[in-house]
Amino acid sequence: LAKTTQPISMDSYEGQEVNITCSHNNIATNDYITWYQQFPSQGPRFIIQGYKTKVTNEVASLFIPADRKSSTLSLPRVSLSDTAVYYCLVGRISSGSARQLTFGSGTQLTVLP
Amino acid sequence: DVKVTQSSRYLVKRTGEKVFLECVQDMDHENMFWYRQDPGLGLRLIYFSYDVKMKEKGDIPEGYSVSREKKERFSLILESASTNQTSMYLCATLGLAETGATGELFFGEGSRLTVL
């Protein structure tokens, strides 16, 4: 199983770019990297997914170096409403083997005014 | 939008009681999951189902069982609740993805269980 490691917490100020890094040293060849966001009293919500290099969508970018042993979620110009826990998930589904989906412990991002 | 509904947001049960947590999805997804979430431990997979009547143990299945009699419904059962099962329980379904990709998990809002 690909074990993931994330910082426990991070603080930032409104308008800044925030980068959260996840370490996954034993990622498998076929594993994808996915990031989720979770607000209090809600289930996690999908942000972005990638396999290599860079992926960008309307809310975030995901940077994955060539060795794929880490990944960085980049949130541009954060606002107070981005205060949440961010989870890194590494793995892939293969015929009934969901244990290959490994969540990290999450990073509590606090955006300050 | 995908809707994943968990039957109870908050439950309080006594040690030894049998507890049912229900999850219903409306998107015809084949894969459904039960996670528990505890402070400092992130999300841990309890059980997974990839088809009706099919199930697989996750990382922490001890003390739990599941039932998937219909595609849209996945139930988590605590045969004899214990205090160490006090936790937030999250149900999820898996959306389609490009070949080989993990796809997107859609979560319910969670069921907070307290066992006294």
Side-chain angles (χ1 to χ4, degrees):
Chain A
L1 291 178
K3 178 176 169 56
T4 62
T5 304
Q6 304 174 232
I8 294 173
S9 64
M10 295 179 69
D11 290 342
S12 181
Y13 290 95
E14 281 190 290
Q16 290 188 333
E17 178 184 76
V18 170
N19 296 309
I20 306 174
T21 297
C22 179
S23 174
H24 29 80
N25 289 323
N26 58 341
I27 188 170
T29 301
N30 295 329
D31 284 347
Y32 276 67
I33 300 152
T34 314
W35 285 81
Y36 288 83
Q37 176 192 56
Q38 186 179 27
F39 297 112
S41 301
Q42 295 184 20
R45 184 178 66 179
F46 175 94
I47 302 173
I48 197 165
Q49 183 176 96
Y51 182 78
K52 62 181 179 181
T53 62
K54 177 183 175 182
V55 179
T56 298
N57 62 21
E58 63 275 10
V59 298
S61 294
L62 178 59
F63 298 92
I64 304 168
D67 66 7
R68 303 197 334 116
K69 293 186 176 182
S70 66
S71 58
T72 299
L73 173 72
S74 181
L75 304 172
R77 298 180 300 281
V78 294
S79 64
L80 296 177
S81 62
D82 291 316
T83 293
V85 178
Y86 291 82
Y87 288 97
C88 166
L89 169 65
V90 174
R92 71 186 295 266
I93 292 290
S94 63
S95 58
S97 187
R99 66 178 66 224
Q100 292 182 355
L101 295 182
T102 305
F103 277 92
S105 297
T107 299
Q108 172 66 56
L109 171 66
T110 301
V111 180
L112 305 168
Chain B
D1 283 351
V2 175
K3 191 166 177 64
V4 181
T5 304
Q6 295 184 227
S7 56
S8 303
R9 291 296 303 275
Y10 301 95
L11 303 93
V12 180
K13 299 291 182 181
R14 297 209 173 271
T15 300
E17 280 192 81
K18 190 169 186 177
V19 181
F20 292 88
L21 298 178
E22 302 280 335
C23 177
V24 178
Q25 53 111 349
D26 66 355
M27 282 301 293
D28 203 36
H29 289 166
E30 293 181 350
N31 298 285
M32 298 187 72
F33 306 78
W34 275 105
Y35 289 89
R36 68 175 280 178
Q37 184 172 35
D38 300 288
L41 297 178
L43 287 91
R44 294 180 292 167
L45 181 64
I46 305 172
Y47 264 99
F48 160 58
S49 170
Y50 50 93
D51 202 349
V52 175
K53 297 188 186 298
M54 306 302 288
K55 62 187 179 185
E56 184 166 327
K57 294 179 180 178
D59 298 315
I60 51 165
E62 295 77 20
Y64 303 94
S65 62
V66 291
S67 173
R68 184 117 180 252
E69 297 296 319
K70 294 184 177 181
K71 191 173 186 179
E72 68 270 18
R73 188 179 298 269
F74 190 35
S75 302
L76 180 69
I77 304 158
L78 288 68
E79 294 289 343
S80 178
S82 64
T83 55
N84 63 12
Q85 292 179 309
T86 291
S87 186
M88 170 69 84
Y89 291 88
L90 289 158
C91 174
T93 69
L94 185 70
L96 295 176
E98 65 189 60
T99 301
T102 305
E104 177 179 346
L105 288 168
F106 295 89
F107 285 86
E109 293 196 331
S111 298
R112 183 164 295 281
L113 171 66
T114 300
V115 182
L116 302 175

